[in-house]
Amino acid sequence: MSATMPASIGTGPLPGSLPAGVTRKGEGTAWNILGHTYWLKASSENAFAFETYDPPGTFVPPHVHPTQDEFIWVMEGAFDLYLDGTWTKAGPGDLVCMPKGLVHAYYNRGDVAARALFWVTPGRRLKELFDALHDLTDPEEVVRRSAACEVDFLPPGAVPGA
């Protein structure tokens, strides 16, 4: 009996695939966005992954990704999270799942910096967005540019406690 291999096996990455390799801690394109530091870990049509360093007091207010699922794996510190009407916490080793269309936010309200790995699928325009947000200091401009790349922020005051 002879087994046949699918045509895609052994032919290298398929178009739109993530590149193979290792990106070390703190390596990759770095973005500074409103007090956070983000490092690109992987980017393709299908996925976008980045490491974050979130000092105490930093946050990303309530927003929605209408076309993307998002995940956070907390490595250090903790986040207060708003997930579709409910507040919860996530700490080291926790995985947070945010399906597309779900209103979510994260806050570092602790006394120590937090580190996490975020990944979003599909990647769509997030690398373009992070490139456009790097070193901006005007939150209103961040919101405007984000909307152009399929990340929709809720108006201030829309979520109690945010």
Side-chain angles (χ1 to χ4, degrees):
M1 179 159 55
S2 164
T4 58
M5 300 281 268
S8 62
I9 292 182
T11 61
L14 298 173
S17 297
L18 289 169
V22 175
T23 305
R24 305 282 178 212
K25 175 182 174 183
E27 285 184 348
T29 300
W31 299 283
N32 296 303
I33 302 174
L34 298 177
H36 306 263
T37 303
Y38 300 152
W39 290 273
L40 178 65
K41 293 300 177 186
S43 182
S44 75
E45 294 173 21
N46 299 318
F48 181 76
F50 56 101
E51 176 185 348
T52 69
Y53 177 81
D54 305 283
T58 56
F59 62 94
V60 176
H63 63 286
V64 174
H65 299 261
T67 60
Q68 299 161 308
D69 294 321
E70 184 173 16
F71 305 87
I72 305 169
W73 182 61
V74 181
M75 298 184 289
E76 296 175 7
F79 291 127
D80 288 309
L81 300 153
Y82 180 80
L83 300 173
D84 198 30
T86 303
W87 286 95
T88 190
K89 288 186 177 285
D94 290 342
L95 177 68
V96 181
C97 300
M98 299 163 288
K100 61 184 158 195
L102 180 87
V103 176
H104 61 281
Y106 78 93
Y107 295 75
N108 181 354
R109 293 181 174 148
D111 296 330
V112 299
R115 283 185 52 248
L117 178 67
F118 284 63
W119 66 98
V120 181
T121 184
R124 302 192 55 93
R125 299 178 64 191
L126 283 182
K127 183 176 182 310
E128 172 189 344
L129 174 60
F130 282 25
D131 288 342
L133 299 182
H134 177 64
D135 283 340
L136 280 181
T137 58
D138 178 5
E140 289 181 16
E141 184 63 13
V142 169
V143 168
R144 189 188 69 74
R145 291 186 187 191
S146 296
C149 291
E150 303 178 301
V151 178
D152 302 320
F153 283 89
L154 278 63
V159 171

PDB file of all heavy atoms in Angstrom, residues 11-38:
ATOM      1  N   THR A  11       6.705  21.695   0.326  1.00  0.00           N
ATOM      2  CA  THR A  11       6.927  22.679  -0.736  1.00  0.00           C
ATOM      3  C   THR A  11       7.241  24.057  -0.182  1.00  0.00           C
ATOM      4  O   THR A  11       7.355  25.012  -0.928  1.00  0.00           O
ATOM      5  CB  THR A  11       5.695  22.782  -1.647  1.00  0.00           C
ATOM      6  OG1 THR A  11       4.574  23.204  -0.869  1.00  0.00           O
ATOM      7  CG2 THR A  11       5.396  21.464  -2.329  1.00  0.00           C
ATOM      8  N   GLY A  12       7.381  24.175   1.130  1.00  0.00           N
ATOM      9  CA  GLY A  12       7.660  25.479   1.738  1.00  0.00           C
ATOM     10  C   GLY A  12       6.371  26.156   2.160  1.00  0.00           C
ATOM     11  O   GLY A  12       5.275  25.630   2.002  1.00  0.00           O
ATOM     12  N   PRO A  13       6.524  27.357   2.713  1.00  0.00           N
ATOM     13  CA  PRO A  13       5.331  28.072   3.190  1.00  0.00           C
ATOM     14  C   PRO A  13       4.365  28.382   2.048  1.00  0.00           C
ATOM     15  O   PRO A  13       4.774  28.669   0.927  1.00  0.00           O
ATOM     16  CB  PRO A  13       5.900  29.365   3.770  1.00  0.00           C
ATOM     17  CG  PRO A  13       7.352  29.128   3.962  1.00  0.00           C
ATOM     18  CD  PRO A  13       7.749  28.086   2.969  1.00  0.00           C
ATOM     19  N   LEU A  14       3.103  28.319   2.362  1.00  0.00           N
ATOM     20  CA  LEU A  14       2.076  28.683   1.398  1.00  0.00           C
ATOM     21  C   LEU A  14       1.924  30.199   1.365  1.00  0.00           C
ATOM     22  O   LEU A  14       2.249  30.883   2.340  1.00  0.00           O
ATOM     23  CB  LEU A  14       0.753  28.021   1.779  1.00  0.00           C
ATOM     24  CG  LEU A  14       0.755  26.489   1.789  1.00  0.00           C
ATOM     25  CD1 LEU A  14      -0.559  25.955   2.337  1.00  0.00           C
ATOM     26  CD2 LEU A  14       1.010  25.946   0.402  1.00  0.00           C
ATOM     27  N   PRO A  15       1.432  30.765   0.280  1.00  0.00           N
ATOM     28  CA  PRO A  15       1.231  32.218   0.231  1.00  0.00           C
ATOM     29  C   PRO A  15       0.378  32.694   1.414  1.00  0.00           C
ATOM     30  O   PRO A  15      -0.602  32.060   1.775  1.00  0.00           O
ATOM     31  CB  PRO A  15       0.492  32.427  -1.097  1.00  0.00           C
ATOM     32  CG  PRO A  15       0.866  31.242  -1.930  1.00  0.00           C
ATOM     33  CD  PRO A  15       1.031  30.105  -0.941  1.00  0.00           C
ATOM     34  N   GLY A  16       0.791  33.799   2.029  1.00  0.00           N
ATOM     35  CA  GLY A  16       0.056  34.351   3.166  1.00  0.00           C
ATOM     36  C   GLY A  16       0.421  33.731   4.497  1.00  0.00           C
ATOM     37  O   GLY A  16      -0.115  34.117   5.524  1.00  0.00           O
ATOM     38  N   SER A  17       1.342  32.755   4.500  1.00  0.00           N
ATOM     39  CA  SER A  17       1.722  32.071   5.737  1.00  0.00           C
ATOM     40  C   SER A  17       2.650  32.932   6.583  1.00  0.00           C
ATOM     41  O   SER A  17       3.330  33.827   6.087  1.00  0.00           O
ATOM     42  CB  SER A  17       2.449  30.763   5.413  1.00  0.00           C
ATOM     43  OG  SER A  17       1.605  29.875   4.732  1.00  0.00           O
ATOM     44  N   LEU A  18       2.703  32.603   7.873  1.00  0.00           N
ATOM     45  CA  LEU A  18       3.681  33.224   8.756  1.00  0.00           C
ATOM     46  C   LEU A  18       5.077  32.775   8.358  1.00  0.00           C
ATOM     47  O   LEU A  18       5.257  31.629   7.936  1.00  0.00           O
ATOM     48  CB  LEU A  18       3.430  32.805  10.202  1.00  0.00           C
ATOM     49  CG  LEU A  18       2.208  33.364  10.886  1.00  0.00           C
ATOM     50  CD1 LEU A  18       1.966  32.642  12.213  1.00  0.00           C
ATOM     51  CD2 LEU A  18       2.366  34.851  11.117  1.00  0.00           C
ATOM     52  N   PRO A  19       6.078  33.645   8.514  1.00  0.00           N
ATOM     53  CA  PRO A  19       7.448  33.195   8.251  1.00  0.00           C
ATOM     54  C   PRO A  19       7.915  32.264   9.365  1.00  0.00           C
ATOM     55  O   PRO A  19       7.544  32.444  10.526  1.00  0.00           O
ATOM     56  CB  PRO A  19       8.251  34.499   8.247  1.00  0.00           C
ATOM     57  CG  PRO A  19       7.441  35.472   9.024  1.00  0.00           C
ATOM     58  CD  PRO A  19       5.997  35.058   8.858  1.00  0.00           C
ATOM     59  N   ALA A  20       8.728  31.274   9.025  1.00  0.00           N
ATOM     60  CA  ALA A  20       9.285  30.361  10.020  1.00  0.00           C
ATOM     61  C   ALA A  20      10.422  31.059  10.758  1.00  0.00           C
ATOM     62  O   ALA A  20      11.084  31.934  10.206  1.00  0.00           O
ATOM     63  CB  ALA A  20       9.804  29.099   9.331  1.00  0.00           C
ATOM     64  N   GLY A  21      10.648  30.688  12.011  1.00  0.00           N
ATOM     65  CA  GLY A  21      11.772  31.245  12.747  1.00  0.00           C
ATOM     66  C   GLY A  21      11.424  31.556  14.188  1.00  0.00           C
ATOM     67  O   GLY A  21      10.318  31.276  14.653  1.00  0.00           O
ATOM     68  N   VAL A  22      12.387  32.145  14.893  1.00  0.00           N
ATOM     69  CA  VAL A  22      12.247  32.495  16.304  1.00  0.00           C
ATOM     70  C   VAL A  22      12.465  33.991  16.441  1.00  0.00           C
ATOM     71  O   VAL A  22      13.435  34.532  15.923  1.00  0.00           O
ATOM     72  CB  VAL A  22      13.283  31.732  17.169  1.00  0.00           C
ATOM     73  CG1 VAL A  22      13.226  32.182  18.617  1.00  0.00           C
ATOM     74  CG2 VAL A  22      13.077  30.230  17.043  1.00  0.00           C
ATOM     75  N   THR A  23      11.581  34.652  17.140  1.00  0.00           N
ATOM     76  CA  THR A  23      11.762  36.060  17.495  1.00  0.00           C
ATOM     77  C   THR A  23      11.966  36.086  19.005  1.00  0.00           C
ATOM     78  O   THR A  23      11.096  35.661  19.762  1.00  0.00           O
ATOM     79  CB  THR A  23      10.531  36.908  17.111  1.00  0.00           C
ATOM     80  OG1 THR A  23      10.261  36.728  15.727  1.00  0.00           O
ATOM     81  CG2 THR A  23      10.791  38.376  17.388  1.00  0.00           C
ATOM     82  N   ARG A  24      13.108  36.558  19.445  1.00  0.00           N
ATOM     83  CA  ARG A  24      13.462  36.558  20.864  1.00  0.00           C
ATOM     84  C   ARG A  24      12.731  37.658  21.636  1.00  0.00           C
ATOM     85  O   ARG A  24      12.272  38.647  21.044  1.00  0.00           O
ATOM     86  CB  ARG A  24      14.966  36.757  21.031  1.00  0.00           C
ATOM     87  CG  ARG A  24      15.809  35.770  20.271  1.00  0.00           C
ATOM     88  CD  ARG A  24      15.869  34.432  20.957  1.00  0.00           C
ATOM     89  NE  ARG A  24      16.664  33.515  20.121  1.00  0.00           N
ATOM     90  CZ  ARG A  24      16.458  32.226  20.047  1.00  0.00           C
ATOM     91  NH1 ARG A  24      15.497  31.672  20.747  1.00  0.00           N
ATOM     92  NH2 ARG A  24      17.206  31.467  19.288  1.00  0.00           N
ATOM     93  N   LYS A  25      12.668  37.485  22.949  1.00  0.00           N
ATOM     94  CA  LYS A  25      12.071  38.475  23.842  1.00  0.00           C
ATOM     95  C   LYS A  25      12.688  39.845  23.564  1.00  0.00           C
ATOM     96  O   LYS A  25      13.906  39.982  23.506  1.00  0.00           O
ATOM     97  CB  LYS A  25      12.316  38.067  25.295  1.00  0.00           C
ATOM     98  CG  LYS A  25      11.851  39.067  26.321  1.00  0.00           C
ATOM     99  CD  LYS A  25      12.181  38.584  27.722  1.00  0.00           C
ATOM    100  CE  LYS A  25      11.850  39.635  28.753  1.00  0.00           C
ATOM    101  NZ  LYS A  25      12.230  39.186  30.103  1.00  0.00           N
ATOM    102  N   GLY A  26      11.829  40.838  23.397  1.00  0.00           N
ATOM    103  CA  GLY A  26      12.299  42.200  23.167  1.00  0.00           C
ATOM    104  C   GLY A  26      12.817  42.462  21.775  1.00  0.00           C
ATOM    105  O   GLY A  26      13.234  43.570  21.468  1.00  0.00           O
ATOM    106  N   GLU A  27      12.789  41.450  20.887  1.00  0.00           N
ATOM    107  CA  GLU A  27      13.216  41.627  19.496  1.00  0.00           C
ATOM    108  C   GLU A  27      12.012  41.909  18.618  1.00  0.00           C
ATOM    109  O   GLU A  27      10.882  41.620  18.977  1.00  0.00           O
ATOM    110  CB  GLU A  27      13.906  40.366  18.968  1.00  0.00           C
ATOM    111  CG  GLU A  27      15.283  40.140  19.476  1.00  0.00           C
ATOM    112  CD  GLU A  27      15.939  38.921  18.831  1.00  0.00           C
ATOM    113  OE1 GLU A  27      15.248  38.127  18.157  1.00  0.00           O
ATOM    114  OE2 GLU A  27      17.140  38.768  19.015  1.00  0.00           O
ATOM    115  N   GLY A  28      12.282  42.437  17.445  1.00  0.00           N
ATOM    116  CA  GLY A  28      11.233  42.733  16.478  1.00  0.00           C
ATOM    117  C   GLY A  28      11.017  44.230  16.394  1.00  0.00           C
ATOM    118  O   GLY A  28      11.480  45.000  17.245  1.00  0.00           O
ATOM    119  N   THR A  29      10.321  44.654  15.363  1.00  0.00           N
ATOM    120  CA  THR A  29       9.970  46.058  15.224  1.00  0.00           C
ATOM    121  C   THR A  29       9.320  46.514  16.516  1.00  0.00           C
ATOM    122  O   THR A  29       8.459  45.822  17.051  1.00  0.00           O
ATOM    123  CB  THR A  29       8.986  46.243  14.051  1.00  0.00           C
ATOM    124  OG1 THR A  29       9.609  45.785  12.855  1.00  0.00           O
ATOM    125  CG2 THR A  29       8.563  47.687  13.898  1.00  0.00           C
ATOM    126  N   ALA A  30       9.722  47.669  17.020  1.00  0.00           N
ATOM    127  CA  ALA A  30       9.146  48.187  18.264  1.00  0.00           C
ATOM    128  C   ALA A  30       8.294  49.408  17.960  1.00  0.00           C
ATOM    129  O   ALA A  30       8.668  50.252  17.143  1.00  0.00           O
ATOM    130  CB  ALA A  30      10.246  48.547  19.253  1.00  0.00           C
ATOM    131  N   TRP A  31       7.143  49.463  18.617  1.00  0.00           N
ATOM    132  CA  TRP A  31       6.254  50.624  18.517  1.00  0.00           C
ATOM    133  C   TRP A  31       6.028  51.174  19.914  1.00  0.00           C
ATOM    134  O   TRP A  31       5.838  50.411  20.864  1.00  0.00           O
ATOM    135  CB  TRP A  31       4.901  50.243  17.928  1.00  0.00           C
ATOM    136  CG  TRP A  31       4.923  49.674  16.560  1.00  0.00           C
ATOM    137  CD1 TRP A  31       5.082  50.354  15.382  1.00  0.00           C
ATOM    138  CD2 TRP A  31       4.722  48.314  16.191  1.00  0.00           C
ATOM    139  NE1 TRP A  31       4.999  49.496  14.319  1.00  0.00           N
ATOM    140  CE2 TRP A  31       4.783  48.228  14.787  1.00  0.00           C
ATOM    141  CE3 TRP A  31       4.503  47.145  16.916  1.00  0.00           C
ATOM    142  CZ2 TRP A  31       4.625  47.039  14.094  1.00  0.00           C
ATOM    143  CZ3 TRP A  31       4.353  45.955  16.236  1.00  0.00           C
ATOM    144  CH2 TRP A  31       4.411  45.924  14.838  1.00  0.00           C
ATOM    145  N   ASN A  32       5.992  52.488  20.034  1.00  0.00           N
ATOM    146  CA  ASN A  32       5.600  53.166  21.267  1.00  0.00           C
ATOM    147  C   ASN A  32       4.251  53.808  21.005  1.00  0.00           C
ATOM    148  O   ASN A  32       4.140  54.713  20.176  1.00  0.00           O
ATOM    149  CB  ASN A  32       6.640  54.225  21.648  1.00  0.00           C
ATOM    150  CG  ASN A  32       7.976  53.587  21.950  1.00  0.00           C
ATOM    151  OD1 ASN A  32       8.062  52.726  22.817  1.00  0.00           O
ATOM    152  ND2 ASN A  32       9.007  53.973  21.218  1.00  0.00           N
ATOM    153  N   ILE A  33       3.230  53.318  21.715  1.00  0.00           N
ATOM    154  CA  ILE A  33       1.869  53.799  21.480  1.00  0.00           C
ATOM    155  C   ILE A  33       1.244  54.164  22.826  1.00  0.00           C
ATOM    156  O   ILE A  33       0.911  53.283  23.626  1.00  0.00           O
ATOM    157  CB  ILE A  33       1.024  52.746  20.729  1.00  0.00           C
ATOM    158  CG1 ILE A  33       1.681  52.394  19.396  1.00  0.00           C
ATOM    159  CG2 ILE A  33      -0.400  53.270  20.527  1.00  0.00           C
ATOM    160  CD1 ILE A  33       1.028  51.262  18.638  1.00  0.00           C
ATOM    161  N   LEU A  34       1.139  55.454  23.067  1.00  0.00           N
ATOM    162  CA  LEU A  34       0.482  56.007  24.261  1.00  0.00           C
ATOM    163  C   LEU A  34       0.939  55.330  25.555  1.00  0.00           C
ATOM    164  O   LEU A  34       0.128  54.909  26.377  1.00  0.00           O
ATOM    165  CB  LEU A  34      -1.037  55.943  24.110  1.00  0.00           C
ATOM    166  CG  LEU A  34      -1.627  56.758  22.958  1.00  0.00           C
ATOM    167  CD1 LEU A  34      -3.138  56.551  22.866  1.00  0.00           C
ATOM    168  CD2 LEU A  34      -1.294  58.231  23.091  1.00  0.00           C
ATOM    169  N   GLY A  35       2.256  55.205  25.735  1.00  0.00           N
ATOM    170  CA  GLY A  35       2.816  54.662  26.968  1.00  0.00           C
ATOM    171  C   GLY A  35       3.093  53.177  26.964  1.00  0.00           C
ATOM    172  O   GLY A  35       3.748  52.672  27.870  1.00  0.00           O
ATOM    173  N   HIS A  36       2.610  52.462  25.959  1.00  0.00           N
ATOM    174  CA  HIS A  36       2.872  51.031  25.822  1.00  0.00           C
ATOM    175  C   HIS A  36       4.047  50.846  24.865  1.00  0.00           C
ATOM    176  O   HIS A  36       4.244  51.640  23.959  1.00  0.00           O
ATOM    177  CB  HIS A  36       1.685  50.290  25.194  1.00  0.00           C
ATOM    178  CG  HIS A  36       0.380  50.503  25.877  1.00  0.00           C
ATOM    179  ND1 HIS A  36      -0.130  49.626  26.796  1.00  0.00           N
ATOM    180  CD2 HIS A  36      -0.534  51.497  25.765  1.00  0.00           C
ATOM    181  CE1 HIS A  36      -1.306  50.060  27.220  1.00  0.00           C
ATOM    182  NE2 HIS A  36      -1.566  51.199  26.608  1.00  0.00           N
ATOM    183  N   THR A  37       4.784  49.752  25.050  1.00  0.00           N
ATOM    184  CA  THR A  37       5.765  49.337  24.059  1.00  0.00           C
ATOM    185  C   THR A  37       5.307  48.001  23.498  1.00  0.00           C
ATOM    186  O   THR A  37       4.987  47.085  24.263  1.00  0.00           O
ATOM    187  CB  THR A  37       7.174  49.199  24.669  1.00  0.00           C
ATOM    188  OG1 THR A  37       7.532  50.447  25.263  1.00  0.00           O
ATOM    189  CG2 THR A  37       8.192  48.839  23.591  1.00  0.00           C
ATOM    190  N   TYR A  38       5.245  47.919  22.181  1.00  0.00           N
ATOM    191  CA  TYR A  38       4.847  46.692  21.489  1.00  0.00           C
ATOM    192  C   TYR A  38       6.003  46.253  20.595  1.00  0.00           C
ATOM    193  O   TYR A  38       6.623  47.085  19.939  1.00  0.00           O
ATOM    194  CB  TYR A  38       3.624  46.926  20.597  1.00  0.00           C
ATOM    195  CG  TYR A  38       2.366  47.397  21.288  1.00  0.00           C
ATOM    196  CD1 TYR A  38       1.449  48.173  20.599  1.00  0.00           C
ATOM    197  CD2 TYR A  38       2.074  47.069  22.597  1.00  0.00           C
ATOM    198  CE1 TYR A  38       0.269  48.607  21.205  1.00  0.00           C
ATOM    199  CE2 TYR A  38       0.899  47.497  23.204  1.00  0.00           C
ATOM    200  CZ  TYR A  38       0.012  48.265  22.500  1.00  0.00           C
ATOM    201  OH  TYR A  38      -1.149  48.692  23.089  1.00  0.00           O
TER     202      TYR A  38
END
